[in-house]
Amino acid sequence: MIVEAAGRLFFGSGFARVSMDDLARELGMSKKTIYRHFPDKRSLLAAVLDRQFAAVERTLEAATEEAEGRPFGVRVQRFLIAAGSELGRIGAPQLATGRGDAMLRQYVEQRVDAVVYRRLDELFREGHRQGLLPAPPELLSEITRGALERLLMSELPRDLDWTAADLLRATVDTVLYGAIRPTGRGIDDEQPRAVIPTVRDDDQEVGP
């Protein structure tokens, strides 16, 4: 009951703005009762985040199971959209990168890495093993992580009048298939594969 009420207040008003007095009034109990279960506000927030990340993990597992057997691009897309929606819902990017308690930021970063990015890394490695991704999976993971976190904190959805889900789909398409499609190709044609340079020759002249 304490964790549920704290979650409502922390995510509704902001962690820094909520005091233990506010929480005691919300629950109709004394602070002494709360402190018997949680020695300080930080430990209470950790319990709130544990509960939130458990919900994120369940959502990602469901999205992964639902996309099982679908084309690889669809599986990546469904995973990232689910992850972006859940991380945005709990405010994880702001907690991880904003000002405040350094230990809290580290905790959130570790949880996001364990719950979201390790799964994403394995998905890209699987695609690479199957020959579907010629680019190094580590590169794709790094690009996609940065794009996902940036979109969650950006004003771009509002500026473009797109939903966050639309932007995530466009991001996945760009990462997996490239930003430029040759003219005259249909949208159902085979997507071009990225070309990864293997030899660098600084003396080679580049033609027009």
Side-chain angles (χ1 to χ4, degrees):
M1 183 174 65
I2 293 173
V3 172
E4 184 177 350
R8 288 197 305 270
L9 291 180
F10 289 163
F11 291 111
S13 302
F15 173 68
R17 296 182 179 180
V18 177
S19 68
M20 297 299 268
D21 288 312
D22 295 329
L23 181 58
R25 282 193 297 269
E26 174 75 12
L27 289 165
M29 64 176 61
S30 68
K31 286 195 297 183
K32 184 178 180 180
T33 302
I34 298 174
Y35 283 128
R36 277 205 299 265
H37 298 279
F38 302 98
D40 51 37
K41 194 167 78 164
R42 180 194 293 169
S43 65
L44 178 54
L45 179 59
V48 169
L49 289 172
D50 280 339
R51 183 174 181 174
Q52 293 288 341
F53 277 109
V56 171
E57 194 162 15
R58 289 193 298 270
T59 299
L60 295 183
E61 288 175 352
T64 300
E65 291 176 2
E66 183 182 348
E68 190 69 30
R70 302 292 299 275
F72 180 75
V74 173
R75 293 171 58 199
V76 175
Q77 185 184 84
R78 296 284 176 83
F79 179 86
L80 283 176
I81 290 172
S85 299
E86 287 295 294
L87 292 180
R89 179 179 63 81
I90 69 173
Q94 292 84 354
L95 286 169
T97 60
R99 295 180 180 178
D101 193 312
M103 291 182 64
L104 172 62
R105 291 198 305 272
Q106 184 180 27
Y107 174 84
V108 173
E109 289 170 355
Q110 290 172 346
R111 295 294 285 145
V112 171
D113 185 69
V115 172
V116 178
Y117 292 134
R118 290 183 189 176
R119 294 171 183 264
L120 179 64
D121 292 346
E122 178 53 37
L123 191 57
F124 280 138
R125 284 194 294 267
E126 178 187 341
H128 189 69
R129 287 193 298 267
Q130 294 176 1
L132 300 173
L133 298 174
E138 297 83 2
L139 173 62
L140 294 174
S141 292
E142 195 69 19
I143 292 172
T144 309
R145 287 185 190 211
L148 176 59
E149 292 175 1
R150 178 63 180 169
L151 282 174
L152 289 173
M153 300 182 66
S154 173
E155 297 295 327
L156 195 59
R158 187 194 65 184
D159 294 342
L160 295 180
D161 195 24
W162 282 25
T163 66
D166 288 335
L167 287 174
L168 283 170
R169 290 188 184 98
T171 299
V172 173
D173 285 344
T174 302
V175 170
L176 296 182
Y177 306 125
I180 300 175
R181 291 177 176 153
T183 59
R185 296 176 65 95
I187 58 173
D188 294 327
D189 292 346
E190 182 182 356
Q191 296 287 1
R193 294 167 65 88
V195 177
I196 306 301
T198 56
V199 178
R200 177 177 177 180
D201 185 355
D202 293 332
D203 296 329
Q204 183 177 358
E205 182 177 348
V206 179

